[in-house]
Amino acid sequence: MRMTFRWFGEGNDPVPLRYIQQIPGTDGLVWSLHDVPAGEEWPMDKIRHYERLAEEAGLHIDVVESVNIHEDIKLGLPTRDVYIENYKRTIRKLGSVGVKVICYNFMPVFDWLRTELHRPMPDGSTAMFYEKSVIEGLNPRALAATINANPAFSMPGWEPERLRQMELLIEAYRNVTEEDLWANLAHFLEEIVPVAAENGIRMAIHPDDPPWGVFGLPRIMTSQANFRRLLKLYDHPSNGITLCSGSLGANPDNDIVAMIHEFAGRIPFAHIRNVKRYDNGDFIECSHRTEDGSVDIAGIVKAYHDTGFDGYARPDHGRQIWDEQGRPGYGLYDRALGIMHLWGLWDAYRYSNNAQGVKADGQTAAHS
Ligand code: CS2
Ligand code: MN
């Protein structure tokens, strides 16, 4: 397991790079060009800038999250060709600086959805919260109208230009079925995966968050059966999965341990975090320990360990604790704690495979 930390870039992320460097066992940045609109080719000078920043902090840039997919590709419009060509050019450039994994998602219109960014928890921390009835009662067309009437409106994780187009986009998807989305994803993979493979890159699709349809829009990256189908759409190691335990864990039917065993070798990137589910379908992004939520984090780390996982991982989201004023879900403290918990589990499984906690190099774990 190679631990990484997501960073949103200068002026966009209050966590200094040297703090990331100080988290034990963490050697890579998960990065993106957040100011480049989906569909555009990434400029080489901006890529090089990140390469330099990371290098100065002693961190690698092997994992990009995300190179976002233009809606015309998801919609299967004829105009998709130009965006697919841009995507290929970006892949070649990223390959040239040593990028190994590109995370992306195939969710129509909306990326991750929450109803509260700072929901207070009993211990005084705050976390991102999803209230099912609020989403079900919300009319996305009314929301789009509110956004358009208020130019300053922003939503975390949303590029401004995508936000402004929400109304049009929802309309464009009116007749797009799940099967249409599968066909459009298949076309994208047929075009992109060979280019990724030639450039030493593995594509890794992120599950839909939450893993169910919202606002009548189709969502397909939601379940074990659907990930099985995805892998068969283009059967090659460069067509892989970002297995996000928090996104998939919002649905109690998802057995993530079983997915890790079934999809071993096709998971270049693991997002490992917990969620606490409530009976009414609400969920909150609690701390990482199994006991704190509904997802079996200890079992998940064991499954990665037992299947010889050698890919990249990150703690994904965390709570806001100790009065940190960070990006919702992306503060330093709770994600750093999460990393130490994940390493604690991993090391315990690793050492327990050897007699009396002896490390492979012969030193006793407790004394080295
Ligand atoms: C999610 C997503 O994993 C996460 O942090 O919040 O925003 C994710 O980054 C994208 O869906 C991946 O493309
Ligand atoms: Mn995730």
Side-chain angles (χ1 to χ4, degrees), residues 113-132 209 212 245-247 249-251 273-289 292-295 317-320 334:
L113 267 185
R114 299 289 181 272
T115 53
E116 269 173 73
L117 300 177
H118 299 283
R119 172 86 164 195
M121 300 193 89
D123 62 5
S125 61
T126 67
M128 296 210 276
F129 180 64
Y130 180 91
E131 192 169 347
K132 201 171 185 193
D209 184 354
W212 51 74
S245 66
S247 300
N251 180 348
R273 68 174 163 94
N274 209 339
V275 282
K276 185 172 173 51
R277 296 184 298 259
Y278 299 93
D279 291 342
N280 61 1
D282 297 353
F283 62 86
I284 190 156
E285 297 187 357
C286 59
S287 44
H288 286 72
R289 246 180 125 216
D292 297 339
S294 311
V295 177
H317 306 170
R319 303 162 299 149
Q320 297 287 324
D334 204 37

Side-chain angles (χ1 to χ4, degrees), residues 161-178:
E161 92 287 350
R162 215 156 49 94
L163 206 53
R164 309 281 150 223
Q165 291 165 0
M166 191 193 283
E167 202 167 8
L168 287 174
L169 279 174
I170 290 172
E171 201 50 40
Y173 278 99
R174 197 184 271 273
N175 297 315
V176 176
T177 64
E178 283 189 9

Side-chain angles (χ1 to χ4, degrees), residues 65 206 244 247 271 273 314 316-317:
E65 175 176 354
H206 190 281
C244 179
S247 300
H271 286 184
R273 68 174 163 94
R314 70 174 181 91
D316 209 3
H317 306 170

Side-chain angles (χ1 to χ4, degrees), residues 6 65-66 104-105 111-112 206 271 314 316-317 330:
R6 192 176 196 186
E65 175 176 354
S66 306
Y104 69 103
N105 70 73
D111 196 306
W112 56 274
H206 190 281
H271 286 184
R314 70 174 181 91
D316 209 3
H317 306 170
Y330 286 97

Side-chain angles (χ1 to χ4, degrees), residues 43-64:
M44 199 63 207
D45 56 332
K46 290 192 178 181
I47 295 173
R48 289 252 181 253
H49 182 62
Y50 269 84
E51 188 187 28
R52 251 192 326 273
L53 286 177
E55 199 179 307
E56 279 163 22
L59 297 161
H60 67 71
I61 52 161
D62 294 3
V63 185
V64 170

Side-chain angles (χ1 to χ4, degrees), residues 132-198:
K132 201 171 185 193
S133 62
V134 170
I135 296 287
E136 282 172 356
L138 200 77
N139 175 342
R141 285 185 183 81
L143 175 64
T146 311
I147 291 168
N148 288 338
N150 177 3
F153 193 97
S154 72
M155 262 166 64
W158 276 72
E159 301 109 355
E161 92 287 350
R162 215 156 49 94
L163 206 53
R164 309 281 150 223
Q165 291 165 0
M166 191 193 283
E167 202 167 8
L168 287 174
L169 279 174
I170 290 172
E171 201 50 40
Y173 278 99
R174 197 184 271 273
N175 297 315
V176 176
T177 64
E178 283 189 9
E179 283 308 312
D180 294 330
L181 204 54
W182 277 110
N184 299 338
L185 177 57
H187 177 81
F188 174 74
L189 294 173
E190 278 154 25
E191 292 285 325
I192 291 299
V193 176
V195 180
E198 273 163 33

